[in-house]
Amino acid sequence: MTAQTDLDMVHLRLILVSGKTQDFTFSPNDSATDIAKHVFDNWPAGWEEEQVSSPSILRLIFQGRFLHGNVTLGALKLPPGRTTVMHLVARETLPEPNSHGQRNREKTTESNCCLLL
């Protein structure tokens, strides 16, 4: 195992839905699953109200997209040595699939007809 310098590491500032934040440092080789497990195992003081029962329900959001478990920080091409902000949410707080369908149905109620004279 090679030692990595601080400049090689990826600094993440994780934000909860409540707005609470915490900074963590990870290797570019760490995956979203690795990060969720590390955060769960080292749950910050002050986040007690948001404590979850398992690391498997923690999800990272980066630039509006959920990160799949096997995606590494290196694959995201995050700038090493700088702090990147991501959101951390519990899976059960995600929108229900039906909510997207409901929005799509509402959109289809709009009339797109034109009148030919």
Side-chain angles (χ1 to χ4, degrees), residues 34-63:
D34 298 331
I35 294 165
K37 181 165 178 13
H38 176 81
V39 172
F40 180 82
D41 291 342
N42 299 278
W43 200 255
W47 284 17
E48 291 86 1
E49 291 179 20
E50 290 85 359
Q51 179 74 52
V52 295
S53 59
S54 167
S56 65
I57 65 172
L58 291 174
R59 297 286 182 253
L60 291 169
I61 303 173
F62 177 60
Q63 295 183 342

Side-chain angles (χ1 to χ4, degrees), residues 81-101:
R82 300 197 44 205
T83 300
T84 298
V85 175
M86 291 189 186
H87 289 86
L88 182 71
V89 298
R91 182 174 56 201
E92 60 257 25
T93 64
L94 298 179
E96 293 294 323
N98 293 342
S99 67
H100 295 294

Side-chain angles (χ1 to χ4, degrees), residues 94-112:
L94 298 179
E96 293 294 323
N98 293 342
S99 67
H100 295 294
Q102 183 64 34
R103 267 189 252 132
N104 289 340
R105 280 194 292 279
E106 289 170 1
K107 288 179 183 175
T108 59
T109 60
E110 297 173 359
S111 176
N112 291 328

